[in-house]
Amino acid sequence: MDLNLINKNVFVTGSTKGIGFAIAKAFIDQGCNVGINGRDKKHLDKAVTELNNPRVLGFPGDVTNLEEAKGIYNSFIKSFNNIDILICNVGSGSSSEPGKEDSTDWNKMLSINLFSATNIIEVFRKNLINSKGVITCISSICGIEVIPGAPVAYSASKSALNSYIKCSARPFGKSGVRINGVAPGNILFKGSVWEKKIQEDPDGVKSMVDKEVPLGRLGSTEDISNLVLLLSSPLSKNI
């Protein structure tokens, strides 16, 4: 199926590994021009090398910082001239266990899981309106359901992101821009939390999957990237 994405200009935040890296690769495979991003330039350069495609460029910076987001924006527009698709993938669930969160956890989780998206959307807003572009934010099942053991500050920050997406859909839609969220559940990839859990307690993970996951499997980064491609495509013009 032709997704009609060739030559689209795409920016993926937090894309040096895991879900973000898989999303960037998927867009490159569709013939897009892709900007990837990470705070660590060494890791970013390594990811660019691994992708090994003239269509990909790296843009270092921390999108939780508005001024750095502005710098990333300037570099991206200078390189690609415009943007068609923005993927907000920066996120982390690394926080205190439920009932032990403090102000540091709240500030950290809101910064990483909400402001990382709102900052980069803010700086690219006019360009996305001009291109009638598409925004997809990677959220989490923790922002939709109460997941036992999930950090409260993380879950609340993802809920805030989901609310931002819902509330922004109407004003963005009036400008011809679509914004959606993808809320993954248990995703397994190299270096993921689930890889670590499997190494520590394979039987426990298998028992959890058999009991709690209807399909009986952990998700993959390709599962997420395939959905992001579809949402970014004109085939999803009414979603």
Side-chain angles (χ1 to χ4, degrees):
M1 181 181 292
D2 184 1
L3 294 176
N4 299 311
L5 290 171
I6 192 166
N7 290 326
K8 295 292 186 181
N9 294 327
V10 183
F11 183 54
V12 187
T13 68
S15 42
T16 60
K17 59 183 180 181
I19 291 173
F21 184 86
I23 290 171
K25 185 178 185 304
F27 276 113
I28 292 168
D29 291 344
Q30 289 291 320
C32 298
N33 307 309
V34 180
I36 66 170
N37 157 257
R39 292 176 299 175
D40 188 308
K41 192 174 185 306
K42 182 179 179 180
H43 291 162
L44 184 62
D45 291 342
K46 182 175 181 288
V48 170
T49 299
E50 287 180 12
L51 290 168
N52 190 29
N53 192 294
R55 287 181 175 271
V56 63
L57 293 175
F59 298 90
D62 182 357
V63 294
T64 69
N65 181 301
L66 182 58
E67 292 306 310
E68 289 197 38
K70 290 177 180 177
I72 292 168
Y73 162 82
N74 289 331
S75 297
F76 183 93
I77 295 301
K78 184 177 180 180
S79 298
F80 291 112
N81 193 43
N82 74 325
I83 185 170
D84 300 295
I85 299 166
L86 175 62
I87 310 300
C88 305
N89 177 66
V90 168
S92 172
S94 180
S95 186
S96 297
E97 62 185 73
K100 295 186 178 181
E101 56 280 337
D102 58 21
S103 60
T104 300
D105 294 307
W106 288 109
N107 288 327
K108 176 185 175 184
M109 289 294 95
L110 285 169
S111 178
I112 294 174
N113 296 304
L114 177 63
F115 301 148
S116 64
T118 60
N119 284 345
I120 204 69
I121 290 171
E122 177 182 335
V123 298
F124 275 108
R125 181 184 289 117
K126 290 182 179 179
N127 300 79
L128 287 162
I129 290 172
N130 288 337
S131 67
K132 306 297 183 185
V134 181
I135 305 165
T136 302
C137 300
I138 307 303
S139 183
S140 169
I141 191 175
C142 293
I144 300 173
E145 302 179 18
V146 176
I147 306 298
V152 173
Y154 171 65
S155 300
S157 65
K158 286 296 190 180
S159 293
L161 176 62
N162 292 344
S163 181
Y164 166 78
I165 295 164
K166 292 178 184 179
C167 294
S168 298
R170 186 175 295 272
F172 267 126
K174 289 181 177 180
S175 298
V177 176
R178 293 188 295 110
I179 180 170
N180 286 290
V182 174
N186 309 316
I187 306 299
L188 177 64
F189 56 89
K190 185 177 180 179
S192 68
V193 170
W194 285 102
E195 182 185 60
K196 182 179 179 181
K197 288 183 177 181
I198 288 172
Q199 291 171 348
E200 294 174 348
D201 184 14
D203 292 337
V205 172
K206 184 179 185 304
S207 175
M208 184 283 299
V209 171
D210 291 342
K211 180 181 178 181
E212 302 291 344
V213 184
L215 289 177
R217 60 181 287 269
L218 296 175
S220 70
T221 55
E222 288 73 23
D223 294 327
I224 306 305
S225 61
N226 286 338
L227 177 55
V228 171
L229 285 180
L230 181 61
L231 289 173
S232 302
S233 165
L235 299 182
S236 298
K237 63 185 177 182
N238 204 43
I239 299 177

